[in-house]
Amino acid sequence: MPADSKTNETVSITDNTTGKKVDFPLLTGTEGPKVIDIRTLYSGLGFFTYDPGYTSTGSTESKITYIDGDAGILRHRGYSIEELAEKSDYMETCYLLLHGELPTAAQKEDFESTITRHTMVHDQMNNFFRGFRRDAHPMAVMCGVVGAMAAFYHDSTDITDPHQRLVASHRLIAKMPTIAAMTYKYSIGQPFMYPRNDLDYAENFLYMMFAVPCEAYKVNPVLSKAMDRIFILHADHEQNASTSTVRLAGSTGANPFACIAAGIASLWGPAHGGANEAVLAMLGKIGTKDNIPAFIQKVKDKEEMLMGFGHRVYKNYDPRAKIMARTCHEVLSELNIKDEPLLDMAIEMEQIALNDKYFVDRKLYPNVDFYSGIILKAMGIPVSMFTVLFAVARTVGWIAQWSELIADPAQKIGRPRQLYTGAAPRNYAPLHLRK
Ligand code: SDX
């Protein structure tokens, strides 16, 4: 914990049974609410805190991403997501997240060239893929393949070596689109496409997804620009569930490939990154606009969830959802899709929800996943690949947070405690005496 986080303020807790009182320092970051440093709670008072879901718990100090959920603000290294999405590109955002500053022209060129030259995967990985069923969910394949990277790239698993850590970071960022596209190609029985070094990150991903070896394929620049922006919007989001999973795995000293595989597993759930797939399933289930009011009623009766809505931190519009909605219109217009029933339904649902007391009272707004699926579907990305794309984009956030953790001298193994409510001590009964 940096010295400049300390304030002169404290918060006291008194144990009413013993009368013992302990003062806990209040810490302050660059922005955001003050934080009570409760590290001496157990040694001072013999208590633990109880906070399932970590609704009031800061698990780490971090310099990477800041969110003000009430104001709907998201910044990476001080730069607003709106500005990054409009003026930057994904490679530059990756550099910013990893290194803390926007790159100079020379640094950018060098970084892009390094990432480009790491995009191919070990040729033996092609054989590894063949062990999976063709109808496996791409997220299942991705969890397995990324975890297996530790076996293919053993020379970048020594986490005590800063150079190996950097190489692992580059390998992960560079190879994720290749692995993602391979999961798709494998599922449809088409040959894997090698990456092309003349294409940028987003173009390369679309190329590896949609090209085939027997004919030329030209990537649509509007779509690759939209894909690049989608990658920026998903790049990092401070201590969300998958990032916290990566950090917890990393705190044990596990190698970066294992940690990112753990993050992918955590992202898969429908309450987190799996929501983009779940939104499309929900819209499909509702079917037509006429059925929206009945569905909204089911949500209010707690029989259904409005997927792509609500957020632990945002109690205001998720700023990424606004940019995503705009991007959605751009993509549909480029593809000359004048009438997209899914988009019409999504817009109508959003309007109903934003004006309905149930959603207003609970401060439920569209999140990043609400519109992304509609864009991806229009681009021809299959629904089962949506969360895979989230994983591709989030890899830089995971790895930046992991690198921050490993470099932090105050880092300790993550080990929460519990409120035990199980059986009190009792004696073992031999089998013949049990009823
Ligand atoms: C992501 O954390 C991150 O940063 C994640 C993320 C990232 O970039 O990493 O932003 C990406 O995961 C976005 C979220 C994607 N998930 C969904 O869209 C799934 C639908 N959303 C919900 O499951 C939910 O809103 C969560 C999981 C996102 C947040 O859950 P919380 O903070 O634990 O909120 P809660 O469950 O305590 O809900 C509070 C109230 C409850 O009602 P009451 O019990 O008070 O009556 O709001 C209701 C909930 O039932 N509620 C919803 C709802 N979300 C919350 N009701 C209907 N539909 C919803 N979507």
Side-chain angles (χ1 to χ4, degrees):
M1 189 244 313
D4 58 6
S5 295
K6 283 196 182 138
T7 64
N8 293 326
E9 297 164 77
T10 55
V11 168
S12 313
I13 299 182
T14 306
D15 179 348
N16 290 334
T17 318
T18 61
K20 192 170 176 192
K21 175 175 164 253
V22 176
D23 293 334
F24 299 97
L26 260 185
L27 309 179
T28 178
T30 320
E31 295 184 78
K34 288 180 184 155
V35 170
I36 308 170
D37 179 352
I38 50 141
R39 281 177 295 177
T40 56
L41 180 64
Y42 184 62
S43 58
L45 285 175
F47 297 153
F48 295 139
T49 55
Y50 176 66
D51 185 19
Y54 312 123
T55 53
S56 298
T57 297
S59 60
T60 186
E61 180 221 333
S62 180
K63 293 182 167 44
I64 302 173
T65 292
Y66 173 71
I67 304 174
D68 179 336
D70 295 320
I73 288 171
L74 167 60
R75 294 192 203 109
H76 297 313
R77 305 281 193 185
Y79 296 101
S80 78
I81 191 65
E82 289 82 1
E83 218 177 354
L84 290 172
E86 194 194 321
K87 300 181 185 160
S88 183
D89 58 50
Y90 183 66
M91 276 298 93
E92 194 173 74
T93 305
C94 287
Y95 187 96
L96 175 70
L97 288 168
L98 284 175
H99 300 292
E101 296 297 335
L102 288 168
T104 62
Q107 286 167 332
K108 186 163 192 252
E109 197 184 325
D110 184 52
F111 182 70
E112 284 177 354
S113 150
T114 304
I115 296 299
T116 304
R117 271 156 193 82
H118 275 300
T119 47
M120 274 203 303
V121 295
H122 193 291
D123 211 47
Q124 184 70 12
M125 266 200 179
N126 296 348
N127 301 340
F128 184 70
F129 261 86
R130 296 187 203 288
F132 289 101
R133 284 171 55 139
R134 297 253 180 205
D135 61 355
H137 193 288
M139 281 297 279
V141 177
M142 188 160 235
C143 278
V145 173
V146 173
M149 282 176 79
F152 289 100
Y153 302 104
H154 199 255
D155 60 347
S156 51
T157 54
D158 178 358
I159 65 158
T160 63
D161 177 348
H163 177 69
Q164 289 200 30
R165 296 206 296 267
L166 193 62
V167 172
S169 306
H170 292 156
R171 281 179 165 154
L172 277 155
I173 294 165
K175 293 179 201 309
M176 284 294 274
T178 314
I179 294 171
M182 286 170 87
T183 66
Y184 174 56
K185 289 297 194 190
Y186 186 70
S187 74
I188 56 169
Q190 284 187 3
F192 298 136
M193 295 300 292
Y194 286 114
R196 267 179 39 194
N197 285 2
D198 60 319
L199 300 180
D200 73 23
Y201 194 85
E203 286 171 335
N204 223 338
F205 172 66
L206 291 174
Y207 168 79
M208 289 186 286
M209 280 287 291
F210 297 120
V212 287
C214 43
E215 57 188 52
Y217 178 83
K218 185 158 172 6
V219 180
N220 178 323
V222 175
L223 299 192
S224 64
K225 175 79 193 141
M227 184 54 75
D228 193 81
R229 194 179 302 144
I230 292 172
F231 286 156
I232 295 175
L233 295 179
H234 287 92
D236 190 50
H237 215 231
E238 53 117 305
Q239 308 311 320
N240 59 84
S242 55
T243 301
S244 298
T245 304
V246 169
R247 277 188 177 262
L248 195 54
S251 79
T252 71
N255 72 72
F257 305 108
C259 295
I260 302 305
I264 295 171
S266 172
L267 186 75
W268 194 358
H272 192 12
N276 52 12
E277 186 177 336
V279 168
L280 268 258
M282 174 187 76
L283 293 175
K285 191 164 137 187
I286 297 170
T288 63
K289 275 188 184 181
D290 302 344
N291 298 329
I292 294 176
F295 183 82
I296 294 280
Q297 190 53 50
K298 281 191 178 167
V299 172
K300 295 201 279 190
D301 294 341
K302 306 224 183 266
E303 291 168 29
E304 295 277 2
M305 285 292 267
L306 186 43
M307 302 313 285
F309 256 71
H311 199 276
R312 170 61 62 76
V313 184
Y314 292 119
K315 300 302 165 196
N316 199 327
Y317 220 102
D318 179 338
R320 301 166 301 173
K322 279 190 195 154
I323 306 169
M324 203 65 93
R326 271 205 310 277
T327 307
C328 188
H329 288 288
E330 277 166 32
V331 167
L332 295 184
S333 144
E334 169 65 16
L335 295 172
N336 215 8
I337 302 175
K338 298 225 162 37
D339 183 28
E340 170 49 91
L342 290 177
L343 179 62
D344 294 346
M345 270 167 61
I347 292 171
E348 178 133 344
M349 286 180 82
E350 181 186 333
Q351 283 317 311
I352 293 176
L354 292 180
N355 293 299
D356 189 300
K357 191 173 175 332
Y358 177 95
F359 298 92
V360 172
D361 286 354
R362 289 168 181 76
K363 300 187 174 161
L364 299 171
Y365 293 85
N367 61 48
V368 67
D369 288 315
F370 193 62
Y371 283 104
S372 62
I374 298 169
I375 313 179
L376 298 176
K377 183 171 175 288
M379 286 172 142
I381 311 260
V383 177
S384 62
M385 286 292 292
F386 290 1
T387 313
V388 169
L389 256 83
F390 194 153
V392 169
R394 182 55 58 87
T395 295
V396 68
W398 290 330
I399 206 74
Q401 301 265 352
W402 173 82
S403 302
E404 186 177 67
L405 168 99
I406 300 299
D408 182 355
Q411 187 261 319
K412 277 171 171 271
I413 188 169
R415 177 56 170 92
R417 301 305 300 269
Q418 62 175 4
L419 172 66
Y420 176 71
T421 54
R426 49 189 170 159
N427 293 326
Y428 179 88
L431 193 55
H432 69 279
L433 290 180
R434 286 179 222 156
K435 293 185 198 122

Short mmCIF file of all heavy atoms in Angstrom, two decimals, residues 14 41 99 198 201 219 221 229 266 273 281-282 304 325 348:
data_model
loop_
_atom_site.label_atom_id
_atom_site.label_comp_id
_atom_site.label_asym_id
_atom_site.label_seq_id
_atom_site.Cartn_x
_atom_site.Cartn_y
_atom_site.Cartn_z
N THR A 14 -15.56 -1.10 18.07
CA THR A 14 -15.49 -1.51 19.47
C THR A 14 -16.20 -2.84 19.62
O THR A 14 -17.32 -3.01 19.13
CB THR A 14 -16.16 -0.46 20.38
OG1 THR A 14 -15.58 0.81 20.10
CG2 THR A 14 -15.99 -0.80 21.85
N LEU A 41 -7.79 -6.32 11.61
CA LEU A 41 -9.06 -6.61 12.31
C LEU A 41 -8.96 -7.91 13.12
O LEU A 41 -9.35 -7.96 14.29
CB LEU A 41 -10.20 -6.70 11.29
CG LEU A 41 -11.58 -7.00 11.84
CD1 LEU A 41 -12.07 -5.88 12.76
CD2 LEU A 41 -12.60 -7.18 10.71
N HIS A 99 1.47 -1.02 -19.97
CA HIS A 99 2.63 -0.21 -19.59
C HIS A 99 2.28 1.09 -18.88
O HIS A 99 3.19 1.78 -18.42
CB HIS A 99 3.49 0.08 -20.83
CG HIS A 99 4.01 -1.18 -21.49
ND1 HIS A 99 4.94 -1.99 -20.89
CD2 HIS A 99 3.68 -1.77 -22.66
CE1 HIS A 99 5.19 -3.03 -21.68
NE2 HIS A 99 4.43 -2.92 -22.75
N ASP A 198 0.41 -8.96 -42.65
CA ASP A 198 0.10 -7.64 -43.23
C ASP A 198 -1.22 -7.08 -42.69
O ASP A 198 -1.58 -5.95 -43.01
CB ASP A 198 0.03 -7.75 -44.77
CG ASP A 198 -1.05 -8.73 -45.22
OD1 ASP A 198 -1.18 -9.81 -44.59
OD2 ASP A 198 -1.77 -8.41 -46.18
N TYR A 201 -4.69 -6.34 -35.96
CA TYR A 201 -5.20 -7.32 -35.01
C TYR A 201 -6.65 -7.75 -35.31
O TYR A 201 -6.96 -8.93 -35.43
CB TYR A 201 -5.10 -6.71 -33.61
CG TYR A 201 -5.26 -7.66 -32.46
CD1 TYR A 201 -4.20 -8.40 -31.98
CD2 TYR A 201 -6.50 -7.80 -31.83
CE1 TYR A 201 -4.33 -9.24 -30.90
CE2 TYR A 201 -6.65 -8.65 -30.74
CZ TYR A 201 -5.56 -9.37 -30.28
OH TYR A 201 -5.71 -10.20 -29.21
N VAL A 219 -11.08 -8.26 -46.04
CA VAL A 219 -11.77 -7.88 -44.80
C VAL A 219 -12.44 -6.52 -45.02
O VAL A 219 -11.82 -5.58 -45.53
CB VAL A 219 -10.77 -7.79 -43.63
CG1 VAL A 219 -11.49 -7.39 -42.34
CG2 VAL A 219 -10.04 -9.11 -43.44
N PRO A 221 -13.37 -3.00 -44.14
CA PRO A 221 -12.72 -2.08 -43.18
C PRO A 221 -13.69 -1.53 -42.13
O PRO A 221 -13.27 -1.27 -41.00
CB PRO A 221 -12.18 -0.95 -44.06
CG PRO A 221 -12.83 -1.10 -45.39
CD PRO A 221 -13.31 -2.51 -45.52
N ARG A 229 -13.11 -1.70 -32.12
CA ARG A 229 -13.76 -0.93 -31.05
C ARG A 229 -14.39 -1.87 -30.02
O ARG A 229 -14.32 -1.62 -28.81
CB ARG A 229 -14.82 -0.01 -31.64
CG ARG A 229 -15.27 1.02 -30.64
CD ARG A 229 -16.31 1.97 -31.18
NE ARG A 229 -15.86 2.69 -32.35
CZ ARG A 229 -16.68 3.01 -33.38
NH1 ARG A 229 -17.94 2.65 -33.36
NH2 ARG A 229 -16.21 3.66 -34.40
N SER A 266 -14.08 -18.48 -15.66
CA SER A 266 -14.93 -17.60 -14.86
C SER A 266 -15.79 -16.70 -15.74
O SER A 266 -16.94 -16.40 -15.43
CB SER A 266 -14.03 -16.77 -13.94
OG SER A 266 -14.75 -15.80 -13.28
N GLY A 273 -19.44 -12.83 -18.61
CA GLY A 273 -19.23 -12.70 -20.07
C GLY A 273 -20.18 -13.53 -20.90
O GLY A 273 -20.42 -13.23 -22.08
N ALA A 281 -30.17 -15.47 -26.79
CA ALA A 281 -31.08 -16.57 -26.47
C ALA A 281 -32.39 -15.99 -25.93
O ALA A 281 -33.49 -16.44 -26.28
CB ALA A 281 -30.45 -17.50 -25.44
N MET A 282 -32.27 -14.94 -25.10
CA MET A 282 -33.46 -14.30 -24.53
C MET A 282 -34.31 -13.66 -25.64
O MET A 282 -35.53 -13.86 -25.68
CB MET A 282 -33.01 -13.25 -23.51
CG MET A 282 -34.12 -12.41 -22.95
SD MET A 282 -33.46 -11.06 -21.93
CE MET A 282 -32.88 -9.92 -23.19
N GLU A 304 -37.84 -14.65 -14.74
CA GLU A 304 -36.84 -14.48 -15.79
C GLU A 304 -35.87 -13.39 -15.37
O GLU A 304 -36.19 -12.56 -14.52
CB GLU A 304 -37.49 -14.04 -17.12
CG GLU A 304 -38.43 -15.05 -17.73
CD GLU A 304 -37.73 -16.12 -18.55
OE1 GLU A 304 -36.48 -16.12 -18.61
OE2 GLU A 304 -38.44 -16.96 -19.13
N ALA A 325 -24.15 0.56 -28.66
CA ALA A 325 -25.41 0.79 -29.39
C ALA A 325 -25.12 1.59 -30.66
O ALA A 325 -25.65 1.29 -31.74
CB ALA A 325 -26.41 1.52 -28.49
N GLU A 348 -36.68 -1.54 -28.02
CA GLU A 348 -37.97 -1.43 -27.33
C GLU A 348 -37.87 -1.89 -25.87
O GLU A 348 -38.40 -1.27 -24.96
CB GLU A 348 -39.02 -2.26 -28.08
CG GLU A 348 -40.37 -2.24 -27.39
CD GLU A 348 -41.52 -1.97 -28.33
OE1 GLU A 348 -41.28 -1.51 -29.45
OE2 GLU A 348 -42.66 -2.23 -27.91
#
